[in-house]
């Protein structure tokens, strides 16, 4: 196991070594094994299965870490990092409702009419999610269009002026300075204010919907930084798009609205209190992600399928309808506002941030002979996507090790912006691809050294936002681009996009991928046209579309949702089959080499992500071998001091405690009676729900579910709760608050069976019992996520406090 001192993470926090000086190499693993035992199955003796009061590392409590004051320390120049690690710092979300007495009493009190009211509230929330996501998308689009247009006009006028009298080096300096300045602002707000807003946010949302708590991922501050950051990144000329971050933005909006309050603003609007639990919040975040896709591409069905394919760990028919409703509202809101903005109030022709334009089926149909050509393009897209991901993997490893300080991250972002401008300028300067300007749809035609009435074709790719460049490559007539222009652009933009993804800026990879694919796809179409003596079916625009699909599929490895998104964005179902063929081929070929880009970044952050199925070769492992043991158990009636000591123990932070009934006649502990969570115990201690030992017959103070929902999601740490010495001797009855029917598995259950139960039900804790119903261990997310299928078969990841 690598010596991991600390690692830059999505949460934006650096972790020090433990207070007792244990570095990563001596960090205890989940099952109490040392580094040397990381690859072997552990043999547990019966006597070690259960020890009252003894703690083991099952799950870390993020809240305690958040309140710790970081001491001044020496920052290492290099952070050792090993991708074969699983981080213990990530919390799990609890998607399983605790069916304790309070919950059951509340559900029984709610009549049919009240349930109808709750259902109506769900639809209202989904409508609000769609409206606000659409408005945010409008704001991003309008601001980007105006700021980018202003920048391009300034640079174009400057180049035109200095082309006539010489001194184009000043134009290059102006372009590079403008780019670097804008990107610097965008990078500073991300690096220093909210690091989790970096990138597209899709890997983080995938983890959240999978059941992993990524700190700050759905906060209001994250949304503000995300929106401002993506505007500055696109205006700064980076090889990025604004569509990917819309998915993250929609998710944050959904999480905030569904709770009816903002912890960042310290405001509680006293509405939607019923939905303040992980299960409901997850469903609304799924709707927000779908609304984000819908606003980005004008693809409501594609948004629903994206949320299903890439995100949600749980699905049902009612949820599908609500998510589809949110997606439709989102794209309609965007369409309406942009139509008014563009002066066509009744013309709803702007369904998404990017519209691929209409493809004429009559002119650009396809024949049976082209099917092998599409398959070949899928192979090329898979290979190029795998190369992109592999290069980005090593670049990300380098960033984790060496570019972990915020100031260095800002400098790198400014460097990439300046280099992007420089590369664009040099390629425009060296290009002699001049095209007639008549009938051209070029927004900022740059003449440079071309004759009067002509413009530089290379400049159309760089003097445009990436979205408009993609549409130009799709629809410009044959002959608009020189093959050399397309080849050079593809090569340079490929490396620029690879270098850009992973910077500390808010940016997406969707549009750069489409742009790279559209460029080499159009080049492929031109080559076919030469070979077939200009046959009508060899239209370069059609092959640009297929190349775009192949490249994006090869990088992100989406199939079903991406097929529908592409079909909806083109407004043409004719190309459904070839797009599906291209995407499937690209995914199969790409998966042969490396993982998809999002899965790769999740793995690099050491997140305990659970895939759909357990590793195929894991049937030989049983629950006894993968569980965490010994487990800290509580008695049904427990001493307050014991509870406080267990919760305060910093050597480990359980989040779930089996409740057992002690047998006074023997030292043996009786069977399992229930399960209670750390958060529930903290609320009980905060409200002083206990009685003196001498008065056990007295009734404890009654709590309602509202008391627990008011504390959600940031439950106070145990250090903030004062318990006097007299109160420590009091007794607390857990019967009313524990879940009396937790999910359990026998210790002989196979790993795939345990995995299926845990994953399908969205559990946080799964109690392992023997044939006498006595607790022998606990299965948590990290116990299952650390087993994965490697190149040499089943491998076990090491666990560390990274």
């Amino acid at each position: 196991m690598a010596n991991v001192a600390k690692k830059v993470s999505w949460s934006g926090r650096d972790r020090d070594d433990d207070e007792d000086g244990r570095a990563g190499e001596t960090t205890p693993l989940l099952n109490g094994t040392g580094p040397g035992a990381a690859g072997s199955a552990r043999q547990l003796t019966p006597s070690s299965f259960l020890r009252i009061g003894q703690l083991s590392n099952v799950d870390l409590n993020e809240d305690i870490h958040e309140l710790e004051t970081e001491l001044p320390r020496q920052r290492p120049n290099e952070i050792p990092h090993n991708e074969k690690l699983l981080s213990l710092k990530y919390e799990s979300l609890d998607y399983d409702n605790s069916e304790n007495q309070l919950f059951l009493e509340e559900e029984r009190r709610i009549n049919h009419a009240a349930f109808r009211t709750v259902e109506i509230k769900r639809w209202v929330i989904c409508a609000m999610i769609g409206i606000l996501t659409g408005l945010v998308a409008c704001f991003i689009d309008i601001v980007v269009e105006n700021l980018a247009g202003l920048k391009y006009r300034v640079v174009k006028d400057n180049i035109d002026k200095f082309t006539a009298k010489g001194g184009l080096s000043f134009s290059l300096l102006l372009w590079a300075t403008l780019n670097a300045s804008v990107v610097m602002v965008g990078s500073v707000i991300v690096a220093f204010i909210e690091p989790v807003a970096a990138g597209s946010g899709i890997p983080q949302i995938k983890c959240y919907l999978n059941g992993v708590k990524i700190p700050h991922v759905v906060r209001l501050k994250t949304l503000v930084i995300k929106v401002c950051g993506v505007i500055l990144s696109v205006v700064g000329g980076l090889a990025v798009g604004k569509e990917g971050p819309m998915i993250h933005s929609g998710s944050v909006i959904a999480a905030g609205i569904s709770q009816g309050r903002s912890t960042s603003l310290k405001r509680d609007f006293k509405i939607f209190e019923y939905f303040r639990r992980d299960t409901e919040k997850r469903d609304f975040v799924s709707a927000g992600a779908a609304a984000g896709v819908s606003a980005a591409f004008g693809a409501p069905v594609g948004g629903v399928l994206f949320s299903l394919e890439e995100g949600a760990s749980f699905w049902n028919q009612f949820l599908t309808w609500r998510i589809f409703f949110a997606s439709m509202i989102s794209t309609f809101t965007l369409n309406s506002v942009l139509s008014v903005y563009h002066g066509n109030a009744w013309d709803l022709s702007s369904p998404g941030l990017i519209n691929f334009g209409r493809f004429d089926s009559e002119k650009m149909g396809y024949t049976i002979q082209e099917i092998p050509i599409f398959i070949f393009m899928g192979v090329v897209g898979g290979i190029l996507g795998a190369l992109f991901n592999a290069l980005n993997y090593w670049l990300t490893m380098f960033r984790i090790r060496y570019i972990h300080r915020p100031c260095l991250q800002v400098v790198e972002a400014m460097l990439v912006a300046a280099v992007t401008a420089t590369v664009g300028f040099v390629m425009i300067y060296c290009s002699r691809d001049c095209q007639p300007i008549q009938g051209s749809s070029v927004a900022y035609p740059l003449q440079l050294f071309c004759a009067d009435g002509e413009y530089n074709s290379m400049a159309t790719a760089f003097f445009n936002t990436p979205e408009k460049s993609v549409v130009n490559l799709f629809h410009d007539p044959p002959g608009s681009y020189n093959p050399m222009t397309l080849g050079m652009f593809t090569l340079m933009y490929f490396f620029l996009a690879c270098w850009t993804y992973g910077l500390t800026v808010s940016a997406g990879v969707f549009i750069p991928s489409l742009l790279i694919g559209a460029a080499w796809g159009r080049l492929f179409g031109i080559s076919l046209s030469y070979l077939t003596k200009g046959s009508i079916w060899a239209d370069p625009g059609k092959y640009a579309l297929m190349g775009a699909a192949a490249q994006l599929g090869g990088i992100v490895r989406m199939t079903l949702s991406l097929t529908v998104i592409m079909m909806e964005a083109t407004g043409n179902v004719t190309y459904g089959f070839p797009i599906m063929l291209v995407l499937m081929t690209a995914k199969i070929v790409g998966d042969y080499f490396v993982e998809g880009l999002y899965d790769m970044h999740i793995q690099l952050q050491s997140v305990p992500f659970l895939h759909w199925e357990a590793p195929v070769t894991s049937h030989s492992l049983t629950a006894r071998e993968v569980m965490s043991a010994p487990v800290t158990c509580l008695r049904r009636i427990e001493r307050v001091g014991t509870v406080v000591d267990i919760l305060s123990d910093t050597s480990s932070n359980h989040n779930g405690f089996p409740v057992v009934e002690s047998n006074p006649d023997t030292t043996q502990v009786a069977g399992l009676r229930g399960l209670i969570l750390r958060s529930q115990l903290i609320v009980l201690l905060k409200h002083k729900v206990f009685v003196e030992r001498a008065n056990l017959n007295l009734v404890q103070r009654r709590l309602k579910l509202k008391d627990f929902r008011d504390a959600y999601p940031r439950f106070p740490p145990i250090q903030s709760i004062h318990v006097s010495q007299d109160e420590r001797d009091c007794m607390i009855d857990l019967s009313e608050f524990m879940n009396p029917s937790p999910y359990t598995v026998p210790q002989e259950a196979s790993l795939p069976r345990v995995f299926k139960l845990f994953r399908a039900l969205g559990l946080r804790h799964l109690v392992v019992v023997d044939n006498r119903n006595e607790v022998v261990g606990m299965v948590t997310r990290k116990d299952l996520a650390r087993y994965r299928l490697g190149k040499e078969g089943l491998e076990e990841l090491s666990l560390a406090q990274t």
Side-chain angles (χ1 to χ4, degrees):
M1 182 166 146
N3 179 15
V4 180
K6 58 180 183 153
K7 180 164 75 74
V8 178
S9 71
W10 284 335
S11 66
R13 288 185 174 78
D14 298 329
R15 301 294 187 196
D16 286 330
D17 298 340
D18 292 343
E19 291 181 1
D20 57 2
R22 292 175 300 176
E25 188 139 21
T26 55
T27 299
L29 301 188
L30 213 63
N31 286 321
T33 57
S40 60
R42 285 147 302 281
Q43 300 297 321
L44 301 173
T45 60
S47 61
S48 68
F49 281 149
L50 183 65
R51 298 174 191 168
I52 297 294
Q54 183 161 350
L55 300 163
S56 65
N57 281 332
V58 173
D59 222 346
L60 296 183
N61 190 326
E62 187 67 26
D63 293 328
I64 293 177
H65 288 300
E66 286 187 4
L67 292 183
E68 287 179 352
T69 304
E70 293 192 1
L71 299 175
R73 58 192 178 278
Q74 292 290 327
R75 290 181 179 270
N77 293 324
E78 176 185 355
I79 293 181
H81 177 57
N82 183 353
E83 65 275 17
K84 295 292 182 70
L85 288 177
L86 203 63
S87 177
L88 279 169
K89 73 173 183 177
Y90 288 107
E91 284 276 347
S92 292
L93 296 166
D94 203 347
Y95 292 153
D96 178 40
N97 288 324
S98 178
E99 294 190 346
N100 54 22
Q101 289 183 27
L102 297 182
F103 177 82
L104 294 177
E105 287 173 7
E106 181 185 84
E107 293 295 306
R108 291 182 188 121
R109 283 197 303 269
I110 300 178
N111 56 25
H112 181 69
F115 273 117
R116 290 286 297 273
T117 304
V118 169
E119 189 63 21
I120 290 171
K121 285 181 179 179
R122 288 194 177 101
W123 286 91
V124 169
I125 291 171
C126 286
M128 294 171 66
I129 290 168
I131 292 170
L132 285 177
T133 304
L135 291 176
V136 167
C138 290
F139 175 77
I140 292 174
D141 189 57
I142 292 169
V143 175
V144 165
E145 183 180 331
N146 285 281
L147 291 181
L150 177 64
K151 186 192 80 169
Y152 289 133
R153 282 194 297 273
V154 169
V155 175
K156 177 184 179 303
D157 292 344
N158 190 272
I159 291 177
D160 288 341
K161 182 174 76 172
F162 282 100
T163 301
K165 64 179 185 179
L168 278 172
S169 56
F170 181 79
S171 301
L172 168 61
L173 187 63
L174 174 68
W175 193 2
T177 303
L178 281 174
N179 275 16
S181 302
V182 173
V183 169
M184 180 189 72
V185 178
S187 183
V188 164
I189 61 175
V190 172
F192 288 95
I193 300 178
E194 197 55 271
V196 80
S200 65
I202 295 176
Q204 292 93 317
I205 295 303
K206 279 187 69 171
C207 291
Y208 182 90
L209 294 175
N210 189 258
V212 182
K213 178 185 175 185
I214 307 294
H216 301 182
V217 73
V218 288
R219 287 205 188 160
L220 177 63
K221 186 167 71 171
T222 304
L223 174 64
V224 174
I225 300 300
K226 194 86 182 182
V227 170
C228 296
V230 74
I231 290 171
L232 294 166
S233 299
V234 176
V235 172
L238 292 175
V240 300
K242 57 182 182 284
E243 280 68 23
M246 278 308 306
I247 296 163
H248 190 179
S249 300
S251 301
V252 180
I253 290 168
I257 290 178
S258 64
Q259 303 303 292
R261 67 179 175 189
S262 170
T263 49
S264 299
L265 298 177
K266 304 292 191 294
R267 292 291 302 275
D268 189 343
F269 300 100
K270 303 297 182 184
I271 56 174
F272 307 140
E273 291 182 354
Y274 182 81
F275 305 119
R276 291 177 186 175
R277 56 180 185 263
D278 287 340
T279 317
E280 298 283 354
K281 195 173 179 180
R282 170 203 54 198
D283 291 348
F284 290 118
V285 169
S286 299
V293 175
S294 181
F297 295 99
V301 179
V304 175
L305 292 175
F306 174 86
S307 195
L308 170 62
E309 182 180 8
E310 286 295 301
S313 56
F314 174 80
W315 205 261
N316 66 29
Q317 185 179 3
F318 298 112
L319 182 62
T320 307
W321 268 111
R322 289 200 300 271
I323 289 179
F324 184 58
F325 177 67
S327 297
M328 290 297 298
I329 294 292
S330 174
T331 191
F332 179 76
T333 302
L334 177 79
N335 209 338
S336 303
V337 175
L338 288 185
S339 296
V340 172
Y341 173 74
H342 291 130
N344 304 314
W346 305 105
D347 179 23
L348 300 178
S349 57
S350 303
L353 294 182
I354 181 171
N355 184 3
F356 292 159
R358 292 282 173 182
F359 283 80
D360 193 341
S361 301
E362 294 179 6
K363 293 181 181 177
M364 297 173 60
Y366 66 95
T367 60
I368 192 72
Q369 297 97 316
E370 293 179 84
I371 298 297
I373 297 175
F374 295 147
I375 293 174
F376 175 75
M377 293 185 75
V379 172
V380 173
I383 293 172
L384 289 178
L387 177 62
F388 185 99
N389 292 357
L391 291 174
N392 192 262
Y393 175 87
W394 294 112
L395 183 60
T396 305
M397 289 285 287
F398 177 84
R399 284 179 173 135
I400 289 173
R401 287 173 173 159
Y402 298 102
I403 312 178
H404 46 269
R405 299 182 187 180
C407 54
L408 291 177
Q409 293 167 345
V410 173
V411 169
E412 187 198 15
M414 293 174 64
L415 175 64
V416 175
V419 169
T420 303
T422 305
V423 168
F425 184 88
V426 170
M427 290 179 68
I428 293 170
Y429 183 83
C430 296
S431 173
R432 294 296 179 265
D433 184 8
C434 297
Q435 302 291 339
I437 206 166
Q438 287 85 7
S440 173
S441 60
V442 179
Y444 307 101
L446 190 66
Q447 182 178 352
L448 206 61
F449 301 121
C450 293
D452 291 341
E454 294 183 337
Y455 69 95
N456 188 304
S457 183
M458 179 70 82
T460 59
F462 284 100
F463 263 78
N464 252 329
T465 55
E467 290 85 355
K468 291 180 179 175
S469 298
V470 170
V471 176
N472 287 342
L473 286 168
F474 285 166
H475 296 291
D476 281 353
S480 299
Y481 298 91
N482 188 303
M484 180 62 73
T485 299
L486 291 172
M488 289 300 298
F489 175 78
T490 300
L491 182 66
M492 298 309 299
Y493 208 81
F494 181 91
F495 289 108
L496 285 174
C498 186
W499 190 11
T500 304
Y501 190 79
L503 289 177
T504 311
V505 294
S506 298
V509 77
F510 269 87
I511 299 303
S513 305
L514 289 172
L515 185 52
I516 295 166
W520 69 254
R522 191 175 181 96
L523 178 61
F524 188 84
I526 293 172
S527 304
L528 272 182
S529 183
Y530 283 155
L531 292 174
T532 58
K533 303 294 188 293
S535 294
I536 186 67
W537 55 266
D539 188 286
K542 174 174 58 179
Y543 290 101
L545 175 65
M546 297 304 156
Q551 186 66 52
L552 183 54
I555 290 174
V556 301
R557 308 291 161 75
M558 296 191 304
T559 50
L560 179 63
S561 57
L562 197 53
T563 301
V564 176
I565 287 170
M566 297 288 283
M567 285 168 55
E568 289 185 279
T570 56
N572 194 328
V573 76
T574 306
Y575 296 116
F577 179 70
I579 289 174
M580 183 184 72
L581 206 59
V582 163
L583 286 171
M584 284 182 61
T585 309
K587 175 175 171 55
I588 292 168
V589 172
D591 284 342
Y592 180 78
F593 296 103
V594 292
E595 290 182 295
L597 189 65
Y598 300 141
D599 292 328
M600 192 181 73
H601 277 264
I602 290 171
Q603 180 183 318
L604 281 170
Q605 292 293 337
S606 305
V607 178
F609 187 88
L610 295 181
H611 294 280
W612 288 102
E613 298 287 343
V616 291
T617 58
S618 59
H619 278 86
S620 59
L621 291 172
T622 63
R624 186 209 306 263
E625 294 167 310
V626 303
M627 67 186 184
S628 298
V631 181
T632 303
C633 293
L634 296 172
R635 296 177 179 86
R636 188 177 59 80
I637 299 177
E638 188 62 87
R639 182 173 164 270
V640 171
T642 303
V643 174
V644 172
D645 291 340
I646 288 174
L647 295 182
S648 303
D649 194 310
T650 56
S651 64
S652 88
N653 293 292
H654 283 285
N655 278 296
F657 303 90
V659 179
V660 296
E661 190 73 70
S662 297
N663 189 340
D665 300 331
T666 65
T667 57
Q668 196 72 16
V669 177
L672 176 69
R673 293 293 177 267
L675 181 77
I676 194 161
L677 303 177
R678 167 183 286 268
S679 56
Q680 293 173 318
L681 291 171
I682 284 176
V683 172
L684 296 182
L685 293 175
K686 179 182 177 182
H687 289 275
K688 310 292 183 185
V689 185
F690 38 75
V691 297
E692 295 179 6
R693 186 186 294 269
N695 300 316
L696 289 180
N697 293 327
L698 292 177
V699 179
Q700 294 181 143
R701 178 187 169 187
R702 291 285 295 176
L703 285 185
K704 296 181 179 179
L705 272 183
K706 182 181 183 302
D707 297 305
F708 294 92
R709 288 170 182 158
D710 286 344
Y712 177 86
R714 298 190 211 168
F715 295 96
I718 187 64
Q719 288 86 346
S720 67
I721 296 173
H722 175 70
V723 178
S724 67
Q725 192 60 44
D726 291 339
E727 289 173 334
R728 288 178 62 88
D729 293 326
C730 293
M731 303 300 288
I732 183 169
D733 189 350
L734 306 178
S735 305
E736 189 178 4
F737 310 102
M738 70 181 186
N739 182 2
S741 55
Y743 290 102
T744 62
V745 290
Q747 56 187 343
E748 292 81 17
S750 67
L751 175 59
R753 194 171 187 81
V754 174
F755 190 100
K756 189 177 296 185
L757 178 65
F758 195 96
R759 175 73 164 78
L761 297 176
L763 302 182
R764 187 176 188 181
H765 304 98
L766 184 58
V767 184
V768 183
V769 296
D770 60 13
N771 53 9
R772 294 176 296 178
N773 198 38
E774 293 177 5
V775 179
V776 295
M778 182 92 81
V779 173
T780 64
R781 170 174 292 272
K782 283 118 185 170
D783 296 317
L784 299 176
R786 75 174 188 269
Y787 292 98
R788 74 176 184 197
L789 199 60
K791 293 181 179 178
E792 299 177 0
L794 190 66
E795 61 183 18
E796 181 181 352
L797 305 183
S798 301
L799 297 159
Q801 309 265 17
T802 57

